[in-house]
Amino acid sequence: MEIDIAQLQALYAARRYTVTEVTRWYMGRIARYNPIYHSVQSVDVKGALATARREDQQRGIAHGALWGVPIVIKANTAVEGLPDTDGWAGFAIPGHEFIAPRDATVVARLRAAGAVVLGITNMPDFAASDTNRSTAFGRTGNAYDVRFSPGGSSGGTVTTVTSNEAMLGTGTDTANSIRMPSGTSSVVGVLPTRGLTSIGGIAPLDWLRDNTGPIARNVTDAAIALGVMAGEDPLDFRTADATQKAQPGPYTRYLKLDALKGKRFGVPAFFFTDSNAPMRPETRAMLMQAIAELRAAGAEVILDDALLPQSFMDQNRKVNTLPYRKDGADQWLAQFGPAEYRTGEQFTAATGVAMPAALVGTLASTGALAATSTPTPQARLRDDPQAEANYFAPQRASLAQYLDALDSFHLDGLVYPSAQMPPPDETMAQDGQLSSGPHSATGFINRIGVPASIRMACLSGWNFRRDRGRTAICSAGPMRSSRALMRDVRRS
């Protein structure tokens, strides 16, 4: 039940199991538990077994890093021939389903490494929710207790991995969507430095903040999957020159059990003061417990009101990506839309359904992600004369504040909660209404593009090639902590 990639591949090599047998075992898990948890939107039985049989026939040749590893893909990420609903019923209209014409870049990389794609995981509409309710497939429950929220928007992948319906899967993250759900279920989620992995073929919520990374049950498996997913892609301008800027893989070489000894971490002050996402007392208690564990493992943890105070968040929120949301959606549809509709206008003509606010630029960037009262005028980033003032300059300013804080306090990284509250029981009203949580205050990371990891209480001590080697983040989760995680690759 807790097998990892190395153990599984050792069993393959010893001919204890075939890839087909293991794939069928995971299919059986999905058949048994998916009616309870509702975490897998669609299962590709035919495709998965065809891949497994092919890999069994290739036993005598060299294999990729994910040889025979059963995985799942989030429903906003294109998998050729399978529904790419983005969680929305509008992309599941009979006769007009959004069937991906080709694989997203990261899916193609995972397949090339030998992964067996079992199917597509559920997600909330457009990834625009902190819980996991979808108009296309319904609600996903937490694997520990189905009444509770697994968080969003990668809650479908998190529950699938937690319940052993797959070994690992992909998540996407615009503000918290890998880290927060991973924290609800005690699994490992990695949000890479923006540009380490490609978002080509992933339906955007906000393409200038969107990112993708692996979700697994242990650190080593996450490191292996991240190494497979990483790489340059002409479909994603942020990945340009990533091969030269990234620290060389495999990332497993950087995993060290004693990584915390002598390291220095800080807790951002705004987590205690930001009224937009107040920290609940239960979360504060868990954070302090995680800090005690870090200190016991040999790290120093700094609590200081001057470390990334509220003024940092005020500057960070000036990074304005709202005018470019439609630009990202237009590029995605043109490149990965089905033949019937490659534009929003073609979709409406074919279905009679208007394109949603999330894909035409009128969805708010903060708060509850509700539609704005006055739609933001949309522009293309590459030829907008205001792009520097809206986006690039505020991003540089906020990143400079972030890096200066790390330098001033001589920090190796940060520690903060993956959510400001515990996962709620969704069978009863919370504070007099249906819960839309758990909520998080981690979106500042996406605005400046630095990395983060969840379910870790620590980072390894390896350095980047470049001079700024202390920008990785470590998030303290609410259940249990793993022993170590590599520090992520950073773009200059």
Side-chain angles (χ1 to χ4, degrees):
M1 292 293 287
E2 294 300 322
I3 195 167
D4 60 24
I5 292 173
Q7 293 168 338
L8 177 65
Q9 292 181 344
L11 291 172
Y12 286 153
R15 298 185 180 270
R16 290 280 303 278
Y17 294 100
T18 66
V19 179
T20 300
E21 287 173 333
V22 171
T23 299
R24 288 189 182 279
W25 186 86
Y26 279 97
M27 292 288 187
R29 294 281 298 179
I30 293 173
R32 180 175 181 180
Y33 291 106
N34 201 44
I36 301 170
Y37 295 124
H38 240 224
S39 62
V40 183
Q41 172 193 280
S42 53
V43 183
D44 186 17
V45 176
K46 182 178 179 180
L49 290 176
T51 299
R53 286 192 294 268
R54 183 171 62 252
E55 295 195 1
D56 284 332
Q57 293 167 0
Q58 298 172 344
R59 278 181 174 269
I61 65 174
H63 297 288
L66 295 177
W67 171 39
V69 176
I71 70 169
V72 286
I73 306 296
K74 188 174 176 180
N76 60 353
T77 304
V79 178
E80 183 178 357
L82 297 183
D84 188 1
T85 65
D86 201 18
W88 182 46
F91 285 146
I93 298 172
H96 303 284
E97 295 91 342
F98 193 122
I99 304 298
R102 57 189 172 121
D103 287 340
T105 301
V106 291
V107 174
R109 292 180 182 276
L110 291 163
R111 285 195 200 271
V116 179
V117 177
L118 300 177
I120 307 295
T121 56
N122 191 33
M123 59 176 281
D125 295 34
F126 321 113
S129 175
D130 286 342
T131 188
N132 216 87
R133 299 187 187 96
S134 162
T135 58
F137 195 65
R139 171 189 175 269
T140 297
N142 190 296
Y144 285 100
D145 188 326
V146 73
R147 299 173 302 163
F148 285 77
S149 173
S153 63
S154 301
T157 295
V158 162
T159 293
T160 303
V161 171
T162 306
S163 59
N164 279 286
E165 296 172 72
M167 283 189 68
L168 59 89
T170 66
T172 64
D173 192 311
T174 307
N176 57 34
S177 292
I178 288 175
R179 296 157 289 166
M180 181 262 284
S182 295
T184 72
S185 301
S186 199
V187 293
V188 179
V190 181
L191 177 72
T193 306
R194 184 66 184 91
L196 179 62
T197 58
S198 170
I199 62 168
I202 297 176
L205 175 58
D206 188 333
W207 69 295
L208 295 177
R209 299 186 192 181
D210 295 341
N211 206 343
T212 185
I215 294 170
R217 287 198 300 275
N218 64 59
V219 179
T220 302
D221 285 2
I224 293 169
L226 180 62
V228 169
M229 295 172 72
E232 297 179 36
D233 178 16
L235 296 178
D236 184 349
F237 79 99
R238 285 296 189 193
T239 68
D241 299 325
T243 302
Q244 287 72 40
K245 294 175 180 177
Q247 186 143 351
Y251 300 142
T252 49
R253 74 168 77 174
Y254 307 115
L255 301 181
K256 301 176 182 178
L257 294 179
D258 61 350
L260 283 174
K261 291 181 179 179
K263 296 301 179 289
R264 184 176 166 94
F265 300 97
V267 181
F270 70 82
F271 271 87
F272 299 97
T273 61
D274 192 355
S275 60
N276 287 304
M279 188 186 298
R280 295 270 286 268
E282 306 96 315
T283 303
R284 182 187 292 261
M286 292 174 186
L287 175 60
M288 299 313 294
Q289 179 181 345
I291 289 172
E293 293 176 357
L294 286 165
R295 288 170 172 163
E300 184 179 3
V301 181
I302 308 303
L303 292 164
D304 192 305
D305 290 343
L307 173 57
L308 296 178
Q310 189 60 44
S311 59
F312 166 75
M313 280 300 291
D314 295 339
Q315 171 62 44
N316 185 266
R317 290 190 175 112
K318 293 178 182 178
V319 180
N320 182 16
T321 57
L322 266 179
Y324 312 108
R325 286 194 165 183
K326 186 175 185 296
D327 184 16
D330 288 346
Q331 293 180 58
W332 167 67
L333 276 173
Q335 296 163 354
F336 284 87
E340 185 181 26
Y341 44 87
R342 293 292 178 92
T343 67
E345 292 76 15
Q346 290 176 354
F347 172 82
T348 299
T351 65
V353 176
M355 288 294 284
L359 297 180
V360 296
T362 58
L363 198 68
S365 60
T366 59
L369 292 175
T372 54
S373 55
T374 303
T376 301
Q378 296 295 293
R380 293 193 308 177
L381 181 72
R382 62 182 176 272
D383 53 20
D384 181 20
Q386 298 301 312
E388 176 68 16
N390 284 336
Y391 175 61
F392 292 108
Q395 185 185 63
R396 287 196 302 270
S398 184
L399 179 59
Q401 283 188 343
Y402 175 88
L403 294 174
D404 287 346
L406 293 175
D407 287 341
S408 298
F409 286 89
H410 309 289
L411 300 178
D412 294 288
L414 302 179
V415 179
Y416 52 80
S418 59
Q420 300 294 82
M421 58 184 287
D425 183 341
E426 295 189 315
T427 65
M428 61 180 66
Q430 306 286 323
D431 301 321
Q433 59 186 354
L434 185 65
S435 172
S436 58
H439 300 304
S440 168
T442 61
F444 74 99
I445 287 298
N446 302 75
R447 295 188 186 98
I448 56 178
V450 295
S453 60
I454 183 62
R455 295 298 341 117
M456 310 306 117
C458 53
L459 299 168
S460 73
W462 53 276
N463 295 316
F464 298 114
R465 279 197 200 159
R466 305 275 172 158
D467 56 347
R468 295 271 189 171
R470 291 175 286 116
T471 60
I473 306 289
C474 179
S475 308
M479 291 187 181
R480 67 174 186 261
S481 60
S482 299
R483 294 173 297 183
L485 176 68
M486 69 290 182
R487 183 182 263 169
D488 198 353
V489 178
R490 178 184 176 274
R491 290 170 57 87
S492 63

